[in-house]
Amino acid sequence: MPIEYSKICSYWNDNPCEGGNPKFPFRMFKGSRVLEIGCGAGADAIRFVQHGARYTGIDVTAQAILATRQKIGNGGNLEVMNAEYMNFSDNYFDLVYSFGVIHH
């Protein structure tokens, strides 16, 4: 039986991912428009922002967006959004980044 989308959202609202990718060369994207799909609790968002990226993060849960906002303040754009139905212009971002999302 497939799991309902609302149950997935509820689970990740209660358990935002604290992962992160410490080996990624975040500094290479200074000034670049970066989209992170699945920002989780903001572990990588803060690295992009600290290195000067023009950061946008999306996540399927409001809790993840709140956790990321606490880390980056006004340093980027954040939105609750399903990556299957994004509403961004084609070719807007220089980098689309997602780390540790597919296994969830």
Side-chain angles (χ1 to χ4, degrees), residues 21-73:
N21 185 358
K23 295 183 180 183
F24 188 80
F26 297 94
R27 69 186 172 283
M28 290 179 58
F29 297 95
K30 180 179 183 174
S32 297
R33 291 181 304 245
V34 172
L35 170 64
E36 182 178 14
I37 297 174
C39 60
D44 290 336
I46 190 66
R47 291 182 180 109
F48 278 115
V49 171
Q50 287 172 339
H51 286 93
R54 294 165 52 197
Y55 179 83
T56 298
I58 66 170
D59 203 286
V60 73
T61 68
Q63 185 62 31
I65 296 300
L66 290 172
T68 300
R69 178 61 66 204
Q70 289 177 337
K71 286 191 173 77
I72 70 169

Side-chain angles (χ1 to χ4, degrees), residues 2-102:
I3 296 174
E4 292 177 34
Y5 182 74
S6 62
K7 289 182 181 178
I8 295 169
C9 286
S10 293
Y11 177 82
W12 288 112
N13 267 326
D14 294 338
N15 302 282
C17 186
E18 288 287 347
N21 185 358
K23 295 183 180 183
F24 188 80
F26 297 94
R27 69 186 172 283
M28 290 179 58
F29 297 95
K30 180 179 183 174
S32 297
R33 291 181 304 245
V34 172
L35 170 64
E36 182 178 14
I37 297 174
C39 60
D44 290 336
I46 190 66
R47 291 182 180 109
F48 278 115
V49 171
Q50 287 172 339
H51 286 93
R54 294 165 52 197
Y55 179 83
T56 298
I58 66 170
D59 203 286
V60 73
T61 68
Q63 185 62 31
I65 296 300
L66 290 172
T68 300
R69 178 61 66 204
Q70 289 177 337
K71 286 191 173 77
I72 70 169
N74 291 326
N77 300 310
L78 296 168
E79 192 170 341
V80 175
M81 187 183 300
N82 184 331
E84 293 182 276
Y85 308 102
M86 294 185 291
N87 55 4
F88 300 110
S89 300
D90 290 346
N91 300 312
Y92 178 77
F93 294 100
D94 301 308
L95 172 71
V96 176
Y97 174 89
S98 187
F99 181 78
V101 172
I102 293 176

